Each structure stands twice: as structure tokens, then as C-alpha cells.
Amino acid sequence: MTDDVEDTGVAIRKIDDREVREAGSGAAAKAVLSVAAARGKTRGVALVLHGGRANSYESVRGGHLSPARMVPFAQTLRARGGPHGLSVWTLRNRYRGWNGADMSPVQDARWALSHIRRDHPDLPVYLLGHSMGGLTALCVADDPQVQAVVALAPWLNRDTPVQRVAGRRVLIVHGTEDRWTSPANSLAYARRAEGVAESVDYVSLKGAGHFMVRRLGLWNSLATGYILDAFAGDSGAAPRSTEAFRSLLPAAGASLPVVL
């Protein structure tokens, strides 16, 4: 398997190298990985996953709001984790939709993880996803390199299985005013995952909606702080902001939910 790789000067882009099987308007769509390399030796990898729609084979474009919404998170991870060995990979899916049984973004995330495994075998991986990307992260958490998962306003239902997060650290953050995905389903998932995952934290953000516009700084601090804290524990590195994060979420396994 070979890569179509472009060096942009800021990040390396890996272009989808899978054989196209789907027919229809999205047949030519390709997933794209933007890789911000760690400074010095790579000690871990964060994979950032964006949201989408229930059904759509329309190609994802860089200017769409779903991938653009994750840019500040990737930038924070790169700025605070990169100097300590954290490489940040941002996935742009082929299609905008989940697409039923196709679970299109899950296929894309598995492809991304296969590239991480090839480039960085045996290094810890940390998943961060919003909305559909949060569901995707929880679905691919069974990859053997994944150590921790952050799901922001994830698109879950009461039957979403928890077995794939077995042995992983999980943080779910959901706004109380979300009208697109269900905070109640997220909390129910978190409670079902207790005793399956290594640890589960659930944060309820008062007054926040689905698109993370309100209280964006807190969304970012919680999500990136959790990943950096896990990375620090796994690698022995000491990224900035982990102490500030622990002041927000002082104890792993705190009773659910934590309300901020």
C-alpha cells in the first residue's frame, strides 16, 4: 500500500489510498489525514474526528463547518503536546454522512488508525471526536493502540454498545441545551460503561448547545486537557495545562455527572 503524500509546510497530508467500492455521487470522495508531527521523538498520537449528518454521500470539504469546528482543538493539542512528543492527526472523512449500515466515518477512522499503526506501532493513541465523530471514536476505541477517548456531544442512542471501550479511559462532555444529540443518552452510555472502561467521566456543561459555540474555551480545556493528562501518564512527558485540567475534573471516576 502506498501513500499520496503532500508536504504543505505546516502538516503532511495523507490522501485516501483505498480502493473505491461505493457507487453514486460520492464514489470519487477521498478521506484526508493532516498530520502535525511531534517535535523530536514521537511518544503518542492524537486522532481528531469531526461530525456530520445521518445520511449523505456528499464529499466533505475543508470549509465545511464540521471539520472546521475541530481546528481549535487540534491546534491546542499541537501547541501543548507537540513539544513533548504528541503527534496530532486530523481526519477529514470521505462523506458527510454516517450512512446507516455503511458506517462511513467508522471505515475512515479505521483507515486512519491503520496508518498510525504503520507509522507509529505500539505508541499510545488518543481519540477526540465531536457529534458523529464522538460516536465514531467510541466505535473504534477497540483498536489495540487506543488508550483514551474524548467524545464531545456524541451522537448516541440507548443501545450504543459499550464493549469497545473496555479497558480505555473515557470522557464524555455534553451541553445541557443540546437539541441535536441527546445528553440523556450520553449520560446513560457513561453509566453503562462504568465497570467496562478503565475509567469514565461525564461532564454536563450548563447552558451549552451542540455546536460548542457557547463556552468554547471550557469545551477545549476539558477535551485537550484530558488527552494531555492521559498522554503525560503514558509517556512521562509533562505538557502544560494538565494541572489546570485537574482543577476542572479533580478525580477520575467522580460520581456522574460532573456539572460545570
Side-chain angles (χ1 to χ4, degrees):
M1 183 166 59
T2 60
D3 288 336
D4 178 2
V5 178
E6 303 173 17
D7 189 343
T8 66
V10 176
I12 295 171
R13 300 180 72 225
K14 294 176 180 283
I15 310 301
D16 202 336
D17 52 9
R18 291 168 292 177
E19 180 181 352
V20 176
R21 295 181 181 178
E22 293 86 351
S25 61
K30 290 183 178 292
V32 178
L33 273 166
S34 297
V35 181
R39 299 180 200 170
K41 181 180 179 181
T42 302
R43 299 181 178 185
V45 178
L47 176 61
V48 181
L49 307 169
H50 65 79
R53 301 175 174 178
N55 296 290
S56 175
Y57 285 97
E58 180 185 353
S59 300
V60 179
R61 301 180 185 277
H64 285 154
L65 288 176
S66 291
R69 197 169 282 120
M70 302 310 293
V71 169
F73 296 88
Q75 289 175 335
T76 299
L77 288 170
R78 182 181 184 186
R80 296 178 178 170
H84 301 276
L86 183 68
S87 180
V88 181
W89 296 44
T90 303
L91 174 63
R92 191 174 80 206
N93 293 332
R94 291 172 297 171
Y95 310 130
R96 301 186 79 177
W98 178 264
N99 300 323
D102 282 351
M103 296 190 295
S104 299
V106 172
Q107 295 182 40
D108 294 343
R110 296 283 190 197
W111 168 76
L113 287 164
S114 73
H115 277 263
I116 293 172
R117 182 161 48 253
R118 187 181 66 185
D119 290 1
H120 303 292
D122 304 321
L123 288 186
V125 174
Y126 311 95
L127 305 177
L128 167 58
H130 171 251
S131 191
M132 184 179 74
L135 171 59
T136 301
L138 295 168
C139 285
V140 301
D142 57 352
D143 183 277
Q145 287 183 244
V146 171
Q147 301 299 310
V149 181
V150 177
L152 306 176
W155 174 27
L156 308 178
N157 62 43
R158 295 189 180 276
D159 299 318
T160 304
V162 298
Q163 290 77 16
R164 291 182 180 179
V165 298
R168 276 56 172 174
R169 288 162 281 183
V170 178
L171 170 65
I172 297 174
V173 184
H174 219 128
T176 60
E177 301 304 311
D178 195 323
R179 300 293 180 263
W180 291 76
T181 59
S182 169
N185 287 349
S186 286
L187 181 56
Y189 177 95
R191 287 174 170 158
R192 287 188 288 114
E194 288 187 294
V196 176
E198 179 181 319
S199 65
V200 182
D201 291 288
Y202 180 93
V203 177
S204 177
L205 292 187
K206 292 185 291 185
H210 183 71
F211 298 109
M212 305 185 295
V213 174
R214 187 173 182 183
R215 310 188 77 183
L216 175 59
L218 188 51
W219 287 97
N220 196 319
S221 295
L222 286 165
T224 61
Y226 192 88
I227 288 175
L228 293 170
D229 187 65
F231 171 62
D234 291 335
S235 68
R240 293 183 294 135
S241 82
T242 55
E243 291 183 7
F245 161 72
R246 278 297 159 200
S247 72
L248 296 171
L249 196 66
S255 59
L256 306 179
V258 173
V259 180
L260 297 176

